[in-house]
Amino acid sequence: MNPDITRERENATFNVEKLTHILDGGIEKTKRRREIESLVISDPDFQSEDLNFLSRSERYDAAVKKSAQMILKLREYGISDPEEIYCYKSVFRGNHQEALGLHFSMFLPTLYTQCNKEQFKKWVPLAESFKAMGTYAQTELGHGTHLRGLETTATYDPATQEFVLNSPTITSIKWWPGGLGKTSNHAIVLAQLHTQGKCHGLHAFIVPLRSMNTHIPLPGVVVGDIGPKFGFDEVDNGYLKLENVRIPREHMLMKYAKVEADGTYVKPPSAKLTYGTMVFIRSMIVGEASSALAKSCTIAIRYSSVRHQSEIRPGSPEPQIMDYQTQQYKLFPLLATAYAYKFVGQYMNQVYHRITGDISQGDFSELPELHALSAGLKAFTTWTASEGIEVCRMACGGHGYSRCSALPDIYVNFVATCTYEGENTVMMLQTARFLIKSYQQASAGHQLSGIVSYLNESERRLQPQSVSSRPTVVNVNDLASLVEAYKLRAAKLVEVAAKSIHQELQKRVSQEDAWNNSAIDLVRASNAHCHYVVVKLFAAKLGEIGDTGVHSVLSTLALLYALQGIQQHSGDFLQVTTTMTGLLSVPQLSQVSQRLKELLAQLRPNAVALVDAFDYCDEMLNSVLGRYDGNVYEHMFEWARRSPLNKTEVHESYHKYLKPLQAKL
């Protein structure tokens, strides 16, 4: 064990194991998670070659092999709980992707939630036995996040009681679904439903793609891999062109909407039910943001504790780079963010399951808020986490650029979340639409409930005041006061966006142009709303923690997270005024800056212990720089020597090109 990292752990002021239990949701969950992880780590079938040294075709082959092995192992061990399956998968895949990822995350969940009873009996057993291996085909070459613009058609033919699916244009070719290229034999296809001469918008259809016996594409199905990407080298993201593909009427998912035998369309109780799978995935992505950022912080903070560099005082030994305030300022706010997102992810998981339970009972009242919250938080967390992973990489200096650090793999695999399942700016605008509607309802005297209830009081509390008459109300040492400040900031920016739209409409522009001309304000409002939700949930989590040491260190993290947000968005907080007071004064910004420095110093002794509490074993991190024992350099040298280029002392290119070049010159 590296002595530097040993000393760091000895300096911790809290019990790491107790914090791990909080992150997992209890002692028993920690115990079970570790049992599942050990099943993978000790399994010789999963001791594969480093993927970084394989070609793309080899990486895909290895991923399919591991996915097939994983399915058999899950059956062998009797692991069927969705959370436990997710845990098992997260260990076996490490920082890479799995070949059957969309089968688990989108194909099966859509069948579970959108099949009627007869369809459920047929399709779920086929999917759970992997006879039907599926993906989710929504995005097209020409349209993605703008779902109404999708062009794939499903036209009902009452004479045969079949739907005829077509890709009528080049831009209507399905593009990007994971597992579509070579792996899946079925897809849930989102297509514009046409029946009795009328289009009824997007609906979901189960479309067979390949023979379940030979895996050869079926007639009319043109399918393949879209080629190398920024990341996801193990996944066959694919294209799909449908040429008069006929499927039975019963292949339309009909739990909510349906087409009768004669072609009569029966609409669903809520149009958003078609997008239930996306809401589920967006809710999951919030947790993925926490995980990716937590892994990155673990690597960067452990490495920063064993890396010595330069001098603070001339002639003194080179300090750990963690001792530099600038390094702390790079990493500790990101560590606080990872914890914040962990608690938000737990909240989203609980809310999703509660509201979907209500939906199954016919109560759709909270679906719009869930849709808006999942869209906004998906964008908010993935933007920050993507930037944070890159900060962690650069905080590791040159070695962070090496694939052995795992940070490049974490980044290229996570950054895709900013554009899949909804491009982030569009997601923010979807959240803004809900916020503006809620603001208008509150302004009309309706009492709002749920997470937007703070808009009920915005009209009477947010009034302009002269700067000279504004005493401050924010206590930078009190988290409850900071939560209030974030709430008022969110309310103010929602009001600003709503008034911007109103002003545009007064210019006699259309509603659509008014929206577009106010889009910057709308995105700012959604960002502020999401920021408030995260700070509020982090503060609320502290109320559940009884252990003094853990409560103290998490309170420091929460305060750091909230104050850094104020520093980053100081202009917003300076501008917000209330009926009696100003929210933030200019002198307070200096106070915020000073308090941030104090919090960095307070966290310094606990930094390594805080990343240890995430409890990522070395096999999951797969990072030389983030090793638990801190023995970085010897293992980095060992990793480099395994490069395929080192299999021979003289590479064949020398004899083919360089030696002839030397002879000619």
Side-chain angles (χ1 to χ4, degrees), residues 236-289:
D236 56 324
N237 296 84
Y239 60 78
L240 173 64
K241 189 173 187 290
L242 298 167
E243 299 174 338
N244 293 313
V245 174
R246 287 180 170 266
I247 59 173
R249 180 177 68 92
E250 295 77 17
H251 280 213
M252 172 185 168
L253 291 174
M254 294 200 205
K255 183 173 184 179
Y256 298 112
K258 64 179 179 179
V259 172
E260 304 285 10
D262 65 355
T264 302
Y265 175 71
V266 180
K267 68 179 182 179
S270 170
K272 288 185 171 60
L273 287 168
T274 306
Y275 313 134
T277 303
M278 289 186 299
V279 173
F280 168 66
I281 294 297
R282 288 168 188 165
S283 299
M284 281 187 60
I285 287 173
V286 176
E288 290 289 337

Short mmCIF file of all heavy atoms in Angstrom, two decimals, residues 236-289:
data_model
loop_
_atom_site.label_atom_id
_atom_site.label_comp_id
_atom_site.label_asym_id
_atom_site.label_seq_id
_atom_site.Cartn_x
_atom_site.Cartn_y
_atom_site.Cartn_z
N ASP A 236 -23.02 -2.27 -31.54
CA ASP A 236 -23.37 -2.19 -32.96
C ASP A 236 -24.55 -1.24 -33.16
O ASP A 236 -25.65 -1.66 -33.56
CB ASP A 236 -23.68 -3.58 -33.53
CG ASP A 236 -24.79 -4.29 -32.74
OD1 ASP A 236 -24.84 -4.11 -31.51
OD2 ASP A 236 -25.60 -5.01 -33.34
N ASN A 237 -24.33 0.04 -32.89
CA ASN A 237 -25.37 1.02 -33.22
C ASN A 237 -25.70 0.87 -34.70
O ASN A 237 -24.80 0.78 -35.53
CB ASN A 237 -24.88 2.43 -32.93
CG ASN A 237 -24.61 2.65 -31.45
OD1 ASN A 237 -23.53 2.31 -30.97
ND2 ASN A 237 -25.56 3.18 -30.74
N GLY A 238 -27.00 0.86 -35.02
CA GLY A 238 -27.34 0.45 -36.38
C GLY A 238 -28.28 1.37 -37.13
O GLY A 238 -28.76 2.38 -36.63
N TYR A 239 -28.50 0.99 -38.40
CA TYR A 239 -29.49 1.66 -39.25
C TYR A 239 -30.56 0.64 -39.62
O TYR A 239 -30.32 -0.57 -39.62
CB TYR A 239 -28.84 2.26 -40.51
CG TYR A 239 -28.14 1.28 -41.41
CD1 TYR A 239 -28.85 0.45 -42.28
CD2 TYR A 239 -26.75 1.19 -41.42
CE1 TYR A 239 -28.22 -0.45 -43.13
CE2 TYR A 239 -26.10 0.30 -42.27
CZ TYR A 239 -26.83 -0.51 -43.12
OH TYR A 239 -26.19 -1.39 -43.96
N LEU A 240 -31.75 1.16 -39.96
CA LEU A 240 -32.86 0.29 -40.34
C LEU A 240 -33.71 0.99 -41.38
O LEU A 240 -34.27 2.06 -41.13
CB LEU A 240 -33.72 -0.05 -39.10
CG LEU A 240 -35.02 -0.80 -39.36
CD1 LEU A 240 -34.73 -2.19 -39.93
CD2 LEU A 240 -35.84 -0.91 -38.08
N LYS A 241 -33.80 0.38 -42.55
CA LYS A 241 -34.66 0.87 -43.63
C LYS A 241 -35.76 -0.17 -43.84
O LYS A 241 -35.48 -1.35 -44.06
CB LYS A 241 -33.85 1.08 -44.91
CG LYS A 241 -34.61 1.79 -46.03
CD LYS A 241 -33.66 2.10 -47.19
CE LYS A 241 -34.36 2.96 -48.25
NZ LYS A 241 -35.39 2.21 -48.98
N LEU A 242 -37.00 0.29 -43.76
CA LEU A 242 -38.15 -0.61 -43.90
C LEU A 242 -38.81 -0.40 -45.25
O LEU A 242 -39.18 0.73 -45.60
CB LEU A 242 -39.15 -0.35 -42.77
CG LEU A 242 -38.60 -0.59 -41.36
CD1 LEU A 242 -39.54 -0.01 -40.31
CD2 LEU A 242 -38.38 -2.08 -41.11
N GLU A 243 -38.96 -1.49 -46.00
CA GLU A 243 -39.51 -1.41 -47.35
C GLU A 243 -40.76 -2.30 -47.43
O GLU A 243 -40.66 -3.51 -47.65
CB GLU A 243 -38.46 -1.85 -48.37
CG GLU A 243 -37.22 -0.95 -48.35
CD GLU A 243 -36.10 -1.45 -49.25
OE1 GLU A 243 -36.09 -2.68 -49.56
OE2 GLU A 243 -35.23 -0.65 -49.63
N ASN A 244 -41.92 -1.71 -47.17
CA ASN A 244 -43.19 -2.43 -47.21
C ASN A 244 -43.19 -3.67 -46.32
O ASN A 244 -43.59 -4.77 -46.74
CB ASN A 244 -43.56 -2.81 -48.65
CG ASN A 244 -43.86 -1.59 -49.50
OD1 ASN A 244 -44.59 -0.70 -49.08
ND2 ASN A 244 -43.27 -1.55 -50.69
N VAL A 245 -42.73 -3.48 -45.10
CA VAL A 245 -42.69 -4.58 -44.13
C VAL A 245 -44.06 -4.70 -43.46
O VAL A 245 -44.56 -3.74 -42.87
CB VAL A 245 -41.59 -4.34 -43.08
CG1 VAL A 245 -41.66 -5.41 -41.99
CG2 VAL A 245 -40.23 -4.32 -43.73
N ARG A 246 -44.66 -5.88 -43.58
CA ARG A 246 -45.99 -6.10 -43.02
C ARG A 246 -45.89 -6.82 -41.68
O ARG A 246 -45.16 -7.81 -41.55
CB ARG A 246 -46.86 -6.92 -43.99
CG ARG A 246 -47.31 -6.11 -45.21
CD ARG A 246 -48.17 -6.92 -46.15
NE ARG A 246 -48.77 -6.05 -47.18
CZ ARG A 246 -49.97 -5.51 -47.08
NH1 ARG A 246 -50.74 -5.77 -46.03
NH2 ARG A 246 -50.44 -4.72 -48.05
N ILE A 247 -46.64 -6.32 -40.70
CA ILE A 247 -46.71 -6.96 -39.39
C ILE A 247 -48.17 -7.08 -38.99
O ILE A 247 -49.01 -6.27 -39.41
CB ILE A 247 -45.94 -6.17 -38.31
CG1 ILE A 247 -46.50 -4.74 -38.18
CG2 ILE A 247 -44.44 -6.15 -38.61
CD1 ILE A 247 -45.91 -3.95 -37.02
N PRO A 248 -48.54 -8.08 -38.20
CA PRO A 248 -49.94 -8.23 -37.78
C PRO A 248 -50.41 -7.04 -36.95
O PRO A 248 -49.61 -6.35 -36.30
CB PRO A 248 -49.91 -9.50 -36.93
CG PRO A 248 -48.66 -10.23 -37.34
CD PRO A 248 -47.67 -9.17 -37.72
N ARG A 249 -51.71 -6.80 -36.97
CA ARG A 249 -52.29 -5.69 -36.19
C ARG A 249 -51.89 -5.79 -34.73
O ARG A 249 -51.65 -4.78 -34.06
CB ARG A 249 -53.82 -5.72 -36.32
CG ARG A 249 -54.54 -4.62 -35.54
CD ARG A 249 -56.04 -4.67 -35.78
NE ARG A 249 -56.63 -5.86 -35.19
CZ ARG A 249 -57.14 -5.92 -33.96
NH1 ARG A 249 -57.13 -4.84 -33.18
NH2 ARG A 249 -57.66 -7.03 -33.51
N GLU A 250 -51.78 -7.00 -34.21
CA GLU A 250 -51.47 -7.22 -32.79
C GLU A 250 -50.04 -6.81 -32.43
O GLU A 250 -49.67 -6.82 -31.25
CB GLU A 250 -51.69 -8.69 -32.41
CG GLU A 250 -53.13 -9.15 -32.50
CD GLU A 250 -53.61 -9.41 -33.93
OE1 GLU A 250 -52.73 -9.54 -34.83
OE2 GLU A 250 -54.83 -9.46 -34.17
N HIS A 251 -49.21 -6.46 -33.43
CA HIS A 251 -47.84 -6.03 -33.14
C HIS A 251 -47.76 -4.56 -32.76
O HIS A 251 -46.70 -4.07 -32.38
CB HIS A 251 -46.93 -6.31 -34.34
CG HIS A 251 -46.49 -7.73 -34.42
ND1 HIS A 251 -45.25 -8.10 -34.92
CD2 HIS A 251 -47.11 -8.88 -34.06
CE1 HIS A 251 -45.13 -9.41 -34.87
NE2 HIS A 251 -46.25 -9.90 -34.36
N MET A 252 -48.89 -3.84 -32.87
CA MET A 252 -48.91 -2.49 -32.30
C MET A 252 -49.09 -2.63 -30.79
O MET A 252 -49.96 -3.37 -30.32
CB MET A 252 -50.09 -1.70 -32.89
CG MET A 252 -50.30 -0.35 -32.22
SD MET A 252 -51.79 0.49 -32.86
CE MET A 252 -51.96 1.81 -31.67
N LEU A 253 -48.26 -1.93 -30.00
CA LEU A 253 -48.39 -2.00 -28.55
C LEU A 253 -49.68 -1.29 -28.13
O LEU A 253 -49.85 -0.09 -28.37
CB LEU A 253 -47.18 -1.36 -27.88
CG LEU A 253 -45.88 -2.17 -28.05
CD1 LEU A 253 -44.69 -1.41 -27.50
CD2 LEU A 253 -46.00 -3.54 -27.39
N MET A 254 -50.61 -2.05 -27.52
CA MET A 254 -51.98 -1.56 -27.39
C MET A 254 -52.50 -1.49 -25.96
O MET A 254 -53.70 -1.59 -25.73
CB MET A 254 -52.92 -2.46 -28.21
CG MET A 254 -52.70 -2.39 -29.70
SD MET A 254 -54.15 -2.97 -30.59
CE MET A 254 -53.44 -3.50 -32.15
N LYS A 255 -51.63 -1.27 -25.00
CA LYS A 255 -52.16 -1.13 -23.63
C LYS A 255 -52.98 0.14 -23.49
O LYS A 255 -53.98 0.18 -22.77
CB LYS A 255 -51.01 -1.13 -22.62
CG LYS A 255 -51.49 -1.05 -21.18
CD LYS A 255 -50.38 -1.23 -20.18
CE LYS A 255 -50.92 -1.23 -18.76
NZ LYS A 255 -49.84 -1.42 -17.76
N TYR A 256 -52.56 1.21 -24.15
CA TYR A 256 -53.24 2.50 -23.99
C TYR A 256 -53.95 2.94 -25.26
O TYR A 256 -55.11 3.33 -25.23
CB TYR A 256 -52.23 3.56 -23.54
CG TYR A 256 -51.61 3.25 -22.20
CD1 TYR A 256 -50.25 2.92 -22.11
CD2 TYR A 256 -52.36 3.25 -21.04
CE1 TYR A 256 -49.67 2.62 -20.88
CE2 TYR A 256 -51.80 2.95 -19.81
CZ TYR A 256 -50.45 2.64 -19.73
OH TYR A 256 -49.88 2.34 -18.53
N ALA A 257 -53.27 2.93 -26.40
CA ALA A 257 -53.90 3.27 -27.68
C ALA A 257 -54.03 1.98 -28.49
O ALA A 257 -53.26 1.04 -28.31
CB ALA A 257 -53.05 4.28 -28.44
N LYS A 258 -55.02 1.94 -29.39
CA LYS A 258 -55.14 0.74 -30.23
C LYS A 258 -55.88 1.05 -31.51
O LYS A 258 -56.54 2.09 -31.65
CB LYS A 258 -55.83 -0.39 -29.47
CG LYS A 258 -57.27 -0.12 -29.07
CD LYS A 258 -57.85 -1.34 -28.34
CE LYS A 258 -59.27 -1.10 -27.90
NZ LYS A 258 -59.84 -2.29 -27.21
N VAL A 259 -55.76 0.12 -32.45
CA VAL A 259 -56.50 0.19 -33.70
C VAL A 259 -57.38 -1.06 -33.77
O VAL A 259 -56.88 -2.19 -33.65
CB VAL A 259 -55.54 0.25 -34.91
CG1 VAL A 259 -56.31 0.12 -36.22
CG2 VAL A 259 -54.75 1.55 -34.91
N GLU A 260 -58.69 -0.83 -33.94
CA GLU A 260 -59.61 -1.96 -34.04
C GLU A 260 -59.44 -2.67 -35.38
O GLU A 260 -58.79 -2.15 -36.29
CB GLU A 260 -61.06 -1.47 -33.90
CG GLU A 260 -61.34 -0.68 -32.64
CD GLU A 260 -61.45 -1.57 -31.40
OE1 GLU A 260 -61.12 -2.77 -31.49
OE2 GLU A 260 -61.85 -1.04 -30.34
N ALA A 261 -60.05 -3.85 -35.50
CA ALA A 261 -59.89 -4.64 -36.72
C ALA A 261 -60.33 -3.88 -37.97
O ALA A 261 -59.74 -4.04 -39.05
CB ALA A 261 -60.68 -5.94 -36.60
N ASP A 262 -61.35 -3.03 -37.83
CA ASP A 262 -61.83 -2.30 -39.00
C ASP A 262 -61.03 -1.02 -39.27
O ASP A 262 -61.34 -0.27 -40.20
CB ASP A 262 -63.31 -1.96 -38.84
CG ASP A 262 -63.57 -0.99 -37.67
OD1 ASP A 262 -62.61 -0.65 -36.94
OD2 ASP A 262 -64.73 -0.57 -37.49
N GLY A 263 -60.01 -0.74 -38.42
CA GLY A 263 -59.18 0.45 -38.62
C GLY A 263 -59.53 1.61 -37.73
O GLY A 263 -58.87 2.67 -37.78
N THR A 264 -60.55 1.46 -36.89
CA THR A 264 -60.94 2.54 -35.97
C THR A 264 -59.83 2.76 -34.94
O THR A 264 -59.34 1.80 -34.33
CB THR A 264 -62.25 2.20 -35.25
OG1 THR A 264 -63.27 2.00 -36.23
CG2 THR A 264 -62.66 3.32 -34.30
N TYR A 265 -59.49 4.02 -34.75
CA TYR A 265 -58.41 4.36 -33.81
C TYR A 265 -58.99 4.71 -32.44
O TYR A 265 -59.94 5.50 -32.35
CB TYR A 265 -57.59 5.54 -34.34
CG TYR A 265 -56.53 6.04 -33.38
CD1 TYR A 265 -55.39 5.28 -33.12
CD2 TYR A 265 -56.68 7.27 -32.73
CE1 TYR A 265 -54.42 5.73 -32.24
CE2 TYR A 265 -55.71 7.73 -31.85
CZ TYR A 265 -54.58 6.96 -31.61
OH TYR A 265 -53.62 7.42 -30.74
N VAL A 266 -58.43 4.14 -31.39
CA VAL A 266 -58.82 4.45 -30.02
C VAL A 266 -57.63 5.13 -29.35
O VAL A 266 -56.58 4.51 -29.18
CB VAL A 266 -59.21 3.17 -29.24
CG1 VAL A 266 -59.61 3.54 -27.81
CG2 VAL A 266 -60.32 2.43 -29.95
N LYS A 267 -57.80 6.40 -29.00
CA LYS A 267 -56.66 7.17 -28.50
C LYS A 267 -56.36 6.85 -27.04
O LYS A 267 -57.23 6.40 -26.29
CB LYS A 267 -56.90 8.66 -28.68
CG LYS A 267 -57.99 9.25 -27.81
CD LYS A 267 -58.12 10.75 -28.08
CE LYS A 267 -59.19 11.38 -27.17
NZ LYS A 267 -59.29 12.84 -27.41
N PRO A 268 -55.10 7.09 -26.60
CA PRO A 268 -54.71 6.81 -25.21
C PRO A 268 -55.20 7.91 -24.27
O PRO A 268 -55.55 9.01 -24.71
CB PRO A 268 -53.18 6.82 -25.28
CG PRO A 268 -52.87 7.80 -26.38
CD PRO A 268 -53.96 7.61 -27.39
N PRO A 269 -55.26 7.62 -22.95
CA PRO A 269 -55.69 8.65 -22.00
C PRO A 269 -54.71 9.82 -21.90
O PRO A 269 -55.08 10.91 -21.50
CB PRO A 269 -55.78 7.90 -20.67
CG PRO A 269 -54.96 6.67 -20.86
CD PRO A 269 -55.04 6.32 -22.30
N SER A 270 -53.43 9.59 -22.25
CA SER A 270 -52.44 10.67 -22.25
C SER A 270 -51.47 10.42 -23.39
O SER A 270 -50.95 9.30 -23.55
CB SER A 270 -51.67 10.73 -20.93
OG SER A 270 -50.57 11.62 -21.02
N ALA A 271 -51.20 11.46 -24.19
CA ALA A 271 -50.29 11.31 -25.32
C ALA A 271 -48.88 10.98 -24.87
O ALA A 271 -48.11 10.34 -25.60
CB ALA A 271 -50.28 12.59 -26.16
N LYS A 272 -48.51 11.39 -23.65
CA LYS A 272 -47.14 11.18 -23.15
C LYS A 272 -46.86 9.73 -22.78
O LYS A 272 -45.72 9.34 -22.55
CB LYS A 272 -46.86 12.09 -21.95
CG LYS A 272 -46.70 13.56 -22.33
CD LYS A 272 -46.29 14.40 -21.12
CE LYS A 272 -45.91 15.82 -21.53
NZ LYS A 272 -46.97 16.56 -22.18
N LEU A 273 -47.92 8.89 -22.72
CA LEU A 273 -47.71 7.48 -22.35
C LEU A 273 -46.86 6.75 -23.38
O LEU A 273 -46.16 5.79 -23.04
CB LEU A 273 -49.07 6.79 -22.19
CG LEU A 273 -49.86 7.18 -20.94
CD1 LEU A 273 -51.28 6.68 -21.02
CD2 LEU A 273 -49.16 6.65 -19.69
N THR A 274 -46.89 7.20 -24.62
CA THR A 274 -46.06 6.59 -25.66
C THR A 274 -44.58 6.74 -25.33
O THR A 274 -43.75 5.93 -25.74
CB THR A 274 -46.35 7.24 -27.03
OG1 THR A 274 -47.75 7.17 -27.27
CG2 THR A 274 -45.61 6.53 -28.14
N TYR A 275 -44.25 7.79 -24.57
CA TYR A 275 -42.85 8.11 -24.30
C TYR A 275 -42.41 7.63 -22.92
O TYR A 275 -41.41 8.09 -22.38
CB TYR A 275 -42.62 9.62 -24.42
CG TYR A 275 -43.23 10.23 -25.68
CD1 TYR A 275 -43.96 11.40 -25.63
CD2 TYR A 275 -43.09 9.59 -26.91
CE1 TYR A 275 -44.53 11.95 -26.78
CE2 TYR A 275 -43.66 10.12 -28.06
CZ TYR A 275 -44.38 11.31 -27.99
OH TYR A 275 -44.93 11.83 -29.12
N GLY A 276 -43.18 6.69 -22.33
CA GLY A 276 -42.87 6.22 -20.99
C GLY A 276 -41.48 5.63 -20.86
O GLY A 276 -40.80 5.82 -19.85
N THR A 277 -41.04 4.90 -21.88
CA THR A 277 -39.70 4.30 -21.83
C THR A 277 -38.62 5.37 -21.77
O THR A 277 -37.63 5.23 -21.04
CB THR A 277 -39.47 3.39 -23.05
OG1 THR A 277 -40.50 2.40 -23.10
CG2 THR A 277 -38.13 2.69 -22.96
N MET A 278 -38.80 6.45 -22.51
CA MET A 278 -37.82 7.53 -22.49
C MET A 278 -37.74 8.18 -21.12
O MET A 278 -36.67 8.53 -20.65
CB MET A 278 -38.15 8.57 -23.55
CG MET A 278 -37.91 8.12 -24.97
SD MET A 278 -38.17 9.47 -26.12
CE MET A 278 -39.87 9.87 -25.81
N VAL A 279 -38.90 8.36 -20.47
CA VAL A 279 -38.91 8.94 -19.13
C VAL A 279 -38.14 8.05 -18.18
O VAL A 279 -37.36 8.52 -17.34
CB VAL A 279 -40.36 9.15 -18.64
CG1 VAL A 279 -40.39 9.59 -17.19
CG2 VAL A 279 -41.07 10.17 -19.52
N PHE A 280 -38.33 6.74 -18.31
CA PHE A 280 -37.61 5.77 -17.48
C PHE A 280 -36.10 5.89 -17.69
O PHE A 280 -35.33 5.96 -16.73
CB PHE A 280 -38.09 4.35 -17.82
CG PHE A 280 -37.24 3.25 -17.25
CD1 PHE A 280 -37.18 3.05 -15.88
CD2 PHE A 280 -36.50 2.42 -18.07
CE1 PHE A 280 -36.40 2.03 -15.34
CE2 PHE A 280 -35.72 1.41 -17.56
CZ PHE A 280 -35.67 1.21 -16.18
N ILE A 281 -35.68 5.94 -18.95
CA ILE A 281 -34.25 6.03 -19.25
C ILE A 281 -33.67 7.35 -18.75
O ILE A 281 -32.57 7.39 -18.19
CB ILE A 281 -34.01 5.87 -20.77
CG1 ILE A 281 -34.39 4.45 -21.21
CG2 ILE A 281 -32.56 6.16 -21.12
CD1 ILE A 281 -33.56 3.36 -20.57
N ARG A 282 -34.40 8.44 -18.96
CA ARG A 282 -33.90 9.74 -18.49
C ARG A 282 -33.73 9.74 -16.98
O ARG A 282 -32.78 10.34 -16.45
CB ARG A 282 -34.84 10.86 -18.94
CG ARG A 282 -34.77 11.13 -20.43
CD ARG A 282 -35.91 12.03 -20.89
NE ARG A 282 -35.96 12.13 -22.35
CZ ARG A 282 -36.98 12.58 -23.03
NH1 ARG A 282 -38.07 13.01 -22.39
NH2 ARG A 282 -36.95 12.64 -24.35
N SER A 283 -34.64 9.09 -16.27
CA SER A 283 -34.52 9.00 -14.82
C SER A 283 -33.28 8.19 -14.44
O SER A 283 -32.55 8.54 -13.50
CB SER A 283 -35.77 8.35 -14.22
OG SER A 283 -36.93 9.12 -14.51
N MET A 284 -33.01 7.12 -15.17
CA MET A 284 -31.82 6.31 -14.92
C MET A 284 -30.54 7.08 -15.22
O MET A 284 -29.53 6.91 -14.53
CB MET A 284 -31.85 5.05 -15.78
CG MET A 284 -32.74 3.95 -15.27
SD MET A 284 -32.55 2.44 -16.27
CE MET A 284 -30.82 2.07 -16.04
N ILE A 285 -30.57 7.92 -16.24
CA ILE A 285 -29.37 8.64 -16.65
C ILE A 285 -28.87 9.56 -15.54
O ILE A 285 -27.67 9.78 -15.39
CB ILE A 285 -29.63 9.43 -17.95
CG1 ILE A 285 -29.71 8.46 -19.14
CG2 ILE A 285 -28.54 10.46 -18.23
CD1 ILE A 285 -30.13 9.09 -20.45
N VAL A 286 -29.78 10.10 -14.72
CA VAL A 286 -29.37 10.94 -13.60
C VAL A 286 -28.45 10.14 -12.67
O VAL A 286 -27.42 10.64 -12.21
CB VAL A 286 -30.59 11.47 -12.83
CG1 VAL A 286 -30.16 12.25 -11.60
CG2 VAL A 286 -31.45 12.35 -13.73
N GLY A 287 -28.82 8.89 -12.40
CA GLY A 287 -27.96 8.02 -11.59
C GLY A 287 -26.65 7.71 -12.28
O GLY A 287 -25.59 7.63 -11.64
N GLU A 288 -26.70 7.54 -13.61
CA GLU A 288 -25.48 7.28 -14.38
C GLU A 288 -24.54 8.48 -14.31
O GLU A 288 -23.32 8.32 -14.29
CB GLU A 288 -25.84 6.98 -15.84
CG GLU A 288 -26.54 5.66 -16.07
CD GLU A 288 -25.62 4.48 -15.87
OE1 GLU A 288 -24.40 4.65 -15.98
OE2 GLU A 288 -26.13 3.38 -15.58
N ALA A 289 -25.09 9.69 -14.28
CA ALA A 289 -24.26 10.90 -14.16
C ALA A 289 -23.49 10.88 -12.86
O ALA A 289 -22.29 11.20 -12.82
CB ALA A 289 -25.13 12.15 -14.26
#
